[in-house]
Amino acid sequence: MGRILVVGFGPGSADHMTARARQAIEESDAIIGYNTYVDLVRDLIEGKEVIRTGMTEEVSRAQAAADLAQTGRTVAVVSSGDAGVYGMAGLVYEVLIERGWREGDDPEVEVIPGISAIHSCAALLGAPIMHDACTISLSDHLTPWEVIARRIEAAAQADFVIALYNPRSGRRTQQIVETQRILLRHRHPETPVGLVKSAYRPRQAVVRTTLQDMLDHDIGMLTTVIIGNSTTFYHDGLMITPRGYQRKYDLDTAQQRLRPGERLRPENEPWALHGGCGR
Ligand code: SAH
């Protein structure tokens, strides 16, 4: 049976790749990926067949993976971050499904999870995604801008922390400008915004700015933009979103006003939805 291993190798440094991702690349006969991604794993692929393609050639990469696996080989399709987050995982399945493939058929498919940019970039900024967060890709090559704008609006309204992927490229320069305009209708101009470029790669750059000033800085293809929610704050350059512990706990004393047994009592959580089942 052929195998397709769809591998997310994390932000780019060997230390942040999972053991399974490394093993998957090692056990493959062939490696398929976008040029930059293949370069990031070059230490692991000596002696293997390598198919590198340009950026917009995802479909041919997925087809090549299916073709090779059909000859009985083990093929690793590599993506940065997590392969299931704006990566190759979904497309590999879609191409196979077009060929009549069902789960359990040849080839076997394994998706290997990796650390996505939202997680690696958040770690470099402090703890900005401690509360409900979402990812939005600003790339409108495959998604109508109208849909993207509606999601930005909804996420802004609902006070999500937002991680913007694909914020800007050589030709797509207005999307981030329009995004800032939508966000400013719902969030304070001083809202913390973190810009992380090339997280855990040699040219890593971290910028802490605000919603009103974010466009004064370099934002490119390798940047992830993390927009804080209405409670996110900066402390000594760290971007922090509170989880809400201060509602119930004193963070500066050893003695808590509520004992463990009291913490789940309805009178001590007046903000919660009471009276439902399961409490
Ligand atoms: N599958 C990837 C995302 C691919 S889309 C993942 O899960 O991370 C490409 C976008 O991801 C880039 O435009 C950028 O916004 C983000 N990105 C990927 N790697 C990054 C890194 N090392 N540092 C910062 N942003 C990164």
Side-chain angles (χ1 to χ4, degrees):
M1 191 134 125
R3 286 200 302 155
I4 301 180
L5 308 175
V6 194
V7 184
F9 59 76
S13 69
D15 285 349
H16 294 90
M17 189 185 300
T18 67
R20 178 64 194 130
R22 186 184 317 278
Q23 190 186 47
I25 293 171
E26 281 164 0
E27 73 193 43
S28 297
D29 305 308
I31 310 293
I32 300 183
Y34 166 49
N35 281 315
T36 314
Y37 297 166
V38 172
D39 287 341
L40 284 168
V41 297
R42 64 178 165 270
D43 297 346
L44 301 172
I45 60 177
E46 248 185 61
K48 298 182 192 293
E49 179 178 352
V50 176
I51 300 175
R52 304 158 157 272
T53 58
M55 193 161 51
T56 57
E57 291 171 55
E58 293 94 356
V59 174
S60 56
R61 286 207 288 278
Q63 288 168 336
D67 292 345
L68 275 172
Q70 254 150 15
T71 68
R73 276 180 284 181
T74 297
V75 188
V77 180
V78 295
S79 285
S80 74
D82 184 286
V85 179
Y86 315 118
M88 289 294 293
L91 183 58
V92 164
Y93 278 123
E94 287 176 275
V95 163
L96 288 172
I97 289 165
E98 284 295 317
R99 297 181 179 194
W101 180 91
R102 309 286 306 257
E103 170 71 330
D105 284 358
D106 187 8
E108 185 190 309
V109 179
E110 179 183 343
V111 179
I112 291 140
I115 301 175
S116 190
I118 184 174
H119 299 116
S120 52
C121 296
L124 291 170
L125 289 165
I129 56 164
M130 276 295 292
H131 217 293
D132 301 338
C134 66
T135 66
I136 299 178
S137 167
L138 296 193
S139 172
D140 51 7
H141 289 309
L142 302 171
T143 306
W145 175 253
E146 211 180 281
V147 172
I148 299 171
R150 193 160 11 104
R151 290 183 184 159
I152 297 165
E153 182 91 38
Q157 223 161 45
D159 205 28
F160 280 97
V161 174
I162 306 169
L164 300 172
Y165 283 57
N166 300 302
R168 186 183 188 159
S169 70
R171 278 192 293 169
R172 287 183 309 101
T173 57
Q174 284 314 294
Q175 286 75 358
I176 188 73
V177 177
E178 185 60 18
T179 299
Q180 182 202 39
R181 203 181 61 77
I182 298 170
L183 292 171
L184 278 168
R185 291 210 297 262
H186 301 276
R187 288 198 198 168
H188 197 275
E190 294 293 332
T191 302
V193 169
L195 311 174
V196 182
K197 184 175 167 187
S198 298
Y200 298 98
R201 296 185 195 178
R203 280 189 215 114
Q204 171 179 302
V206 179
V207 173
R208 287 131 185 128
T209 177
T210 60
L211 189 52
Q212 68 184 342
D213 293 335
M214 60 185 263
L215 298 182
D216 300 343
H217 302 273
D218 175 37
I219 297 178
M221 294 244 290
L222 283 169
T223 308
T224 295
V225 179
I226 300 192
I227 319 273
N229 72 13
S230 59
T231 67
T232 305
F233 63 89
Y234 277 124
H235 176 82
D236 287 347
L238 295 170
M239 186 174 169
I240 297 167
T241 302
R243 176 81 195 278
Y245 287 97
Q246 305 258 27
R247 288 204 179 94
K248 233 193 253 181
Y249 295 85
D250 300 311
L251 301 189
D252 58 348
T253 60
Q255 200 65 38
Q256 294 298 329
R257 57 201 143 99
L258 298 175
R259 286 192 305 273
E262 295 172 340
R263 286 179 196 150
L264 299 181
R265 285 193 197 148
E267 65 271 26
N268 292 328
E269 294 180 337
W271 50 79
L273 175 65
H274 295 297
C277 49
R279 279 196 170 261

